[in-house]
Amino acid sequence: MTLTKDEAGRESTDDSYTPSQRRIERDAFKRARSRRATAIAAVSTLVTAVVLYLVVVNAPGWPRTKETFFNGQYAREAFPKVLEGLWLNVRLLFICGAAVLVLGMLIAIARTLRGPVFFPLRFLAAAYTDFFRGLPLIINLMIVVLGVPALRLQGVTVDPVWLGGTALTLTYSAYVAEVFRAGIESVHPSQRAAARSLGLSNRQALRYVVLPQAVRRQVPPLLNDLVSLQKDTGLVSIGGAIDAVRAADIIVGRSLNYTPYIVAGLVFVALTIPMTRFTDWVTARMDRRRAQGGIA
């Protein structure tokens, strides 16, 4: 800070910052090191890509593999049909995702209820999570999609889309319930005690104090489960629902060329990568806030 004089002759302070020579040299060194690291990473990536390309294209079976899995004609034919089927996957993602969050939260709350009177609820919630976390998703889908119509129950839908969505919800609710339960139990008991001392009931303390902190802490794993759900919506095709995977399967069955599967896979990857990067960004942001003491 230096003292200067204005036009009236009064002294004023000059808060402009002038970095030292050492600071300038250190910043220049950091920038040079960052540019060097970026250049090395780019060259390394390019060399790796070239090596992999040469290994693949020089393989003895590459011509046949290229014709079977990377045929441009079948890719152009499959792309619009796969996109049309993808709309079903997107709708399943949003509907099942909302149902999973609600059901998972209810199960987690049931598992954390206190008192002997709630033992049946805690037992049923624990049995639910243990069963559906242990049951492979594809078997659950087969049981629901194929078994429910066989019962011929009055008023129960036999639509494979709804049945497949139900199976997805049952399985993912068990995983999400454990995520919520871990978040609830991570909140320090003093938070609940403080809420109770202010006159809040147990239900109010859970709703206004515990759950907001628990959900905020578990956002990254919840987003990871959402990414996994987005990919697994393709499994509803086993019941005959015309989604992206089934649309590709129809073309494969007619042409005996597997390029449509590659197209469907790339479409799912293109949809998943932004969600994955968003999850990483949220995780890093919350880690920075936690390190700075900005999150409970």
Side-chain angles (χ1 to χ4, degrees):
M1 181 184 299
T2 59
L3 295 177
T4 60
K5 289 187 177 182
D6 57 16
E7 296 179 355
R10 295 188 298 268
E11 291 185 346
S12 61
T13 60
D14 183 4
D15 292 332
S16 61
Y17 169 71
T18 302
S20 64
Q21 184 64 28
R22 182 181 294 273
R23 176 62 181 271
I24 294 174
E25 294 175 354
R26 184 165 57 246
D27 291 343
F29 172 76
K30 290 181 178 179
R31 289 193 296 269
R33 185 175 60 180
S34 177
R35 289 194 296 268
R36 179 173 177 271
T38 302
I40 293 175
V43 171
S44 175
T45 302
L46 180 61
V47 170
T48 303
V50 170
V51 171
L52 290 176
Y53 173 78
L54 293 176
V55 169
V56 171
V57 299
N58 291 319
W62 168 244
R64 180 60 178 170
T65 301
K66 180 181 178 181
E67 177 64 25
T68 304
F69 290 91
F70 303 98
N71 188 293
Q73 175 186 349
Y74 290 111
R76 289 188 293 270
E77 178 185 351
F79 186 69
K81 293 180 172 57
V82 168
L83 281 185
E84 183 179 351
L86 185 67
W87 175 234
L88 174 60
N89 297 105
V90 173
R91 284 181 291 168
L92 278 173
L93 171 64
F94 284 104
I95 296 174
C96 294
V100 162
L101 290 176
V102 173
L103 184 56
M105 175 67 76
L106 294 176
I107 295 170
I109 292 175
R111 290 204 64 181
T112 56
L113 291 175
R114 301 179 179 181
V117 69
F118 295 114
F119 174 78
L121 279 178
R122 291 197 301 269
F123 175 80
L124 291 175
Y128 178 94
T129 55
D130 290 344
F131 179 79
F132 282 104
R133 289 176 70 195
L135 183 68
L137 175 57
I138 191 167
I139 294 180
N140 185 18
L141 279 162
M142 289 180 177
I143 292 174
V144 175
V145 174
L146 304 178
V148 171
L151 295 175
R152 299 181 181 180
L153 298 174
Q154 294 294 328
V156 177
T157 181
V158 295
D159 188 340
V161 175
W162 286 102
L163 293 177
T166 300
L168 290 171
T169 302
L170 290 174
T171 295
Y172 272 89
S173 295
Y175 288 100
V176 170
E178 287 300 284
V179 172
F180 279 132
R181 185 173 71 92
I184 292 173
E185 293 181 349
S186 69
V187 178
H188 198 275
S190 62
Q191 298 288 315
R192 191 187 296 265
R196 296 286 289 138
S197 68
L198 293 175
L200 274 67
S201 64
N202 279 324
R203 184 176 64 180
Q204 291 173 328
L206 180 66
R207 177 181 177 183
Y208 296 110
V209 178
V210 178
L211 286 182
Q213 297 184 59
V215 173
R216 187 166 62 246
R217 293 179 180 183
Q218 299 305 102
V219 167
L222 288 174
L223 289 175
N224 282 325
D225 285 336
L226 187 64
V227 171
S228 298
L229 176 63
Q230 185 269 322
K231 294 182 297 183
D232 286 340
T233 56
L235 293 176
V236 299
S237 60
I238 66 174
I242 309 298
D243 69 329
V245 177
R246 183 60 178 168
D249 188 56
I250 291 173
I251 301 176
V252 170
R254 184 179 67 248
S255 64
L256 298 181
N257 187 283
Y258 297 104
T259 302
Y261 286 147
I262 302 297
V263 174
L266 291 177
V267 168
F268 273 99
V269 169
L271 185 63
T272 301
I273 286 178
M275 297 173 62
T276 305
R277 296 285 75 82
F278 177 70
T279 301
D280 293 341
W281 177 80
V282 171
T283 302
R285 181 172 178 269
M286 295 188 68
D287 288 342
R288 288 195 300 269
R289 291 183 60 191
R290 188 177 293 108
Q292 297 170 0
I295 185 170

